Amino acid sequence: MTTTNPSPRTISVAIIGAGMSGLCMAAKLQDAGIEDFTLFEKADEVGGTWRDNTYPGLTCDVPSRYYTYSFRPNPDWSHMLPPGPEIQQYFREVATERDIRRHIRFGAEVRSAAFRDGKWWLTTPAGDEAFDVLVTATGILRIPRYPDIEGLDTFAGPMFHSARWDHSVSLPDKRIGLIGTGSTGVQITAELGGKVRGLTVFQRTAQWICPWPNPRVSERTKAALRRWPRLNAFGYWFYSRFVRSMFGVAPVRPGWQRWLYQTQCRWNLRLSVRDRELKKKLTPVDQPMCKRMIFAGHYYRAVQEPGVEIVTEPIVRVEPRGVVTADGTLHEVDLLVLATGFDAHAYVRPLAVTGEGGRTLEEAWADGATAYRSVAVPGFPNMFMFMGPHAPVGNDSLINIAEHQADYVTWWIEQLRAGRIVAASPTEEATKRYNEDMKAAMPQTVWTTGCRSWYLGKDGLPELFPWEPDRYSELLRAPQVTDFEVRTAL
Ligand code: N01
């Protein structure tokens, strides 16, 4: 890989997105002494998902000690599981403290990116600009999915997607119709059940709920964490090991971890819901963990509050006054909330990305999205992506994944900077081999046991990593240069 006389170069890096991943990339570049980078952010603030999602009850279900960058502990989390607004505050602080903001162009939506003459040309409303390296950090659950329900537009009251919450609408006086019972719908129900005039939850598929306590962190604990930073580091290590050896393993390998979660879910329902009819409605047909596991403390309590109703009859249409179900009932509501999930398979799209020889990412992914170790695609030199296809987003904390991906990308940028190479992209052969190995490992995962979920890709298989997260970290820790087509001159 070395040229006869490598000479160091200044490398410019474009990062698309200033959410959790984009900020992580920026921080890692700074740590490597690379300051020539620009973040393009279409909104007017950092935070991505945590900026856009503001629904009542928003909480991350990864323990707060682990839902931080390893390089920036946070002694101030108020709860064991971090509330959404605190996470958003954390990212804002990181951007400010590390002086990343001066690298960010807000309100700058990148419309297209094309590789020409050894550079990535980005088109934004301000014009075209060239960079040596393109890093996409556009998030995975970014594009809200609106349900295709007859008459949805005719609803007379306010209506919005959970990721576009309209806080000008008062809630206590409303009869709310909530469509969707994924992680989001469950958190909204747990927060609003019993606190509003009425809550009608339209459940298409029952979900398993894993009970998860969320105690407050005492002021004394916070003070101790501030005073002895090593305690924080220990907390990070402890929870990372806990999450990775339990939640990281359970979905991908049959064993005691899977048994434990599944048993917990079953007993949670058995012990928490008394009414037989309601219990029947809430009993899923598929295996716990096949869909994205839901961790929640108060859901079953909330659905038994007065004024809360679980409707399992399929929705047939929406009318100005409410939702009509297959049994002919009109469920009258004042506000309709669509907690119907996201298009999780868009990745960087709809951004138009054109690689070598004019081949677009759309063309490369015509049969489904694939990548080399979730970070790079053949024919797209010097382009790297966060949370690409088959990242371990189903069994690890996304922050941890982002850190490993950022280290990996930084390693390649350092090769470019040292002048050892001028371009690198994974070979078709290595990418194919990697994806075939993953496909072969999928049947042992719980995700293939027959449920419908946003995990499933075009081929009906989960677009997830079928092994333990530690294996993914290993894969990224040791870049395999022979899997790449590396050029030392253009
Ligand atoms: O979306 P989902 P989400 N008619 O796709 C239903 C992360 N997250 O926003 O199951 C009626 O899971 C659909 O029904 P069905 C987490 O990774 C994390 O809740 O397809 N119903 C389902 O019930 C999560 O997995 C946290 O039959 C319709 C729901 O809408 C991911 O975000 C918190 C319908 C969609 O569920 C997405 O969760 C919140 C229709 N036409 C979210 N269309 C953390 O704590 C869809 N549905 C980290």
Side-chain angles (χ1 to χ4, degrees):
M1 192 178 66
T2 49
T3 59
T4 43
N5 188 16
S7 40
R9 301 161 58 204
T10 301
I11 295 294
S12 57
V13 182
I15 303 168
I16 305 180
M20 178 276 288
S21 299
L23 294 177
C24 181
M25 186 72 244
K28 294 279 183 177
L29 289 176
Q30 285 179 326
D31 290 348
I34 298 165
E35 286 290 336
D36 190 2
F37 63 88
T38 306
L39 291 102
F40 293 88
E41 172 52 61
K42 71 177 185 324
D44 58 3
E45 183 50 289
V46 302
T49 290
W50 300 106
R51 178 199 59 228
D52 292 346
N53 282 272
T54 58
Y55 61 78
L58 174 67
T59 307
C60 180
D61 56 14
V62 175
S64 44
R65 285 303 142 228
Y66 186 37
Y67 201 80
T68 58
Y69 298 124
S70 62
F71 52 82
R72 205 297 201 166
N74 180 16
D76 297 322
W77 295 120
S78 67
H79 287 76
M80 183 182 165
L81 304 177
E86 283 181 33
I87 301 173
Q88 173 59 358
Q89 177 61 19
Y90 171 78
F91 289 128
R92 282 160 51 163
E93 283 170 15
V94 171
T96 303
E97 280 166 20
R98 308 232 6 168
D99 203 16
I100 294 171
R101 285 184 186 275
R102 73 186 169 90
H103 293 272
I104 305 177
R105 289 199 211 149
F106 288 109
E109 181 167 12
V110 179
R111 291 179 179 156
S112 64
F115 189 72
R116 281 197 308 270
D117 307 324
K119 297 256 185 201
W120 278 101
W121 287 85
L122 268 55
T123 302
T124 68
D128 289 359
E129 208 170 333
F131 293 84
D132 296 301
V133 174
L134 172 64
V135 179
T136 63
T138 44
I140 185 160
L141 299 172
R142 168 176 45 97
I143 303 172
R145 198 176 51 200
Y146 289 85
D148 185 14
I149 299 173
E150 186 195 323
L152 195 63
D153 294 346
T154 67
F155 183 64
M159 176 176 70
F160 43 79
H161 190 276
S162 55
R164 300 287 180 271
W165 199 273
D166 180 350
H167 290 275
S168 69
V169 178
S170 77
L171 302 176
D173 57 328
K174 298 279 185 308
R175 293 168 303 173
I176 302 173
L178 173 68
I179 303 180
T181 50
S183 305
T184 304
V186 164
Q187 288 188 339
I188 294 172
T189 303
E191 178 66 23
L192 297 184
K195 295 186 192 154
V196 294
R197 198 175 142 209
L199 179 63
T200 307
V201 180
F202 296 93
Q203 172 192 282
R204 187 165 68 177
T205 312
Q207 298 251 30
W208 289 108
I209 312 285
C210 188
W212 203 254
N214 190 15
R216 252 184 191 286
V217 179
S218 70
E219 288 309 316
R220 198 177 281 186
T221 306
K222 286 186 205 168
L225 289 163
R226 271 183 224 116
R227 179 145 182 214
W228 296 294
R230 278 183 182 209
L231 273 183
N232 249 318
F234 174 76
Y236 182 88
W237 173 84
F238 174 81
Y239 282 107
S240 74
R241 285 328 312 154
F242 176 75
V243 170
R244 295 180 127 213
S245 59
M246 294 291 297
F247 182 65
V249 175
V252 295
R253 175 154 49 85
W256 66 268
Q257 292 95 335
R258 189 180 293 179
W259 175 86
L260 193 67
Y261 279 119
Q262 295 192 331
T263 306
Q264 261 188 303
C265 289
R266 293 195 170 102
W267 276 101
N268 188 28
L269 177 60
R270 208 168 285 170
L271 297 177
S272 311
V273 181
R274 292 225 181 93
D275 182 87
R276 278 175 173 235
E277 205 45 47
L278 182 61
K279 193 179 284 191
K280 207 166 130 198
K281 282 183 177 178
L282 293 169
T283 305
V285 287
D286 31 64
Q287 278 197 42
M289 299 200 106
C290 180
K291 284 171 172 287
R292 162 59 152 86
M293 182 73 143
I294 300 182
F295 297 94
H298 307 305
Y299 181 66
Y300 289 141
R301 200 171 73 200
V303 298
Q304 294 172 90
E305 290 283 349
V308 181
E309 188 190 2
I310 299 282
V311 175
T312 53
E313 279 290 321
I315 296 172
V316 288
R317 65 178 180 280
V318 171
E319 291 187 354
R321 285 186 299 149
V323 178
V324 179
T325 46
D327 57 358
T329 309
L330 168 65
H331 302 268
E332 289 196 37
V333 293
D334 309 310
L335 159 67
L336 204 46
V337 175
L338 312 172
T340 44
F342 300 85
D343 174 3
H345 305 279
Y347 301 104
V348 305
R349 295 170 288 184
L351 171 69
V353 182
T354 309
E356 277 196 312
R359 187 163 174 251
T360 64
L361 201 54
E362 201 66 55
E363 287 163 352
W365 284 352
D367 297 327
T370 53
Y372 175 83
R373 298 185 183 182
S374 309
V375 288
V377 180
F380 293 79
N382 299 349
M383 172 182 136
F384 301 94
M385 65 180 84
F386 279 83
M387 309 304 152
H390 295 102
V393 298
N395 57 336
D396 196 13
S397 156
L398 267 69
I399 292 203
N400 187 59
I401 302 168
E403 281 202 44
H404 286 286
Q405 294 181 332
D407 287 338
Y408 186 83
V409 176
T410 304
W411 187 88
W412 280 107
I413 293 173
E414 283 183 326
Q415 308 312 306
L416 290 160
R417 190 161 68 133
R420 295 189 193 103
I421 62 173
V422 294
S425 61
T427 64
E428 292 279 2
E429 206 267 323
T431 307
K432 193 164 166 245
R433 196 173 57 235
Y434 179 67
N435 280 277
E436 280 174 355
D437 286 352
M438 278 195 297
K439 224 176 201 177
M442 280 304 168
Q444 71 175 340
T445 70
V446 71
W447 304 311
T448 55
T449 52
C451 61
R452 168 178 47 204
S453 82
W454 65 262
Y455 287 164
L456 304 181
K458 243 184 178 174
D459 58 2
L461 286 177
E463 255 167 43
L464 296 174
F465 188 71
W467 299 293
E468 296 165 25
D470 285 346
R471 178 157 172 178
Y472 188 68
S473 312
E474 277 310 309
L475 286 173
L476 291 194
R477 202 165 287 136
Q480 196 107 31
V481 179
T482 49
D483 284 350
F484 275 68
E485 189 189 326
V486 163
R487 268 168 265 162
T488 51
L490 282 171

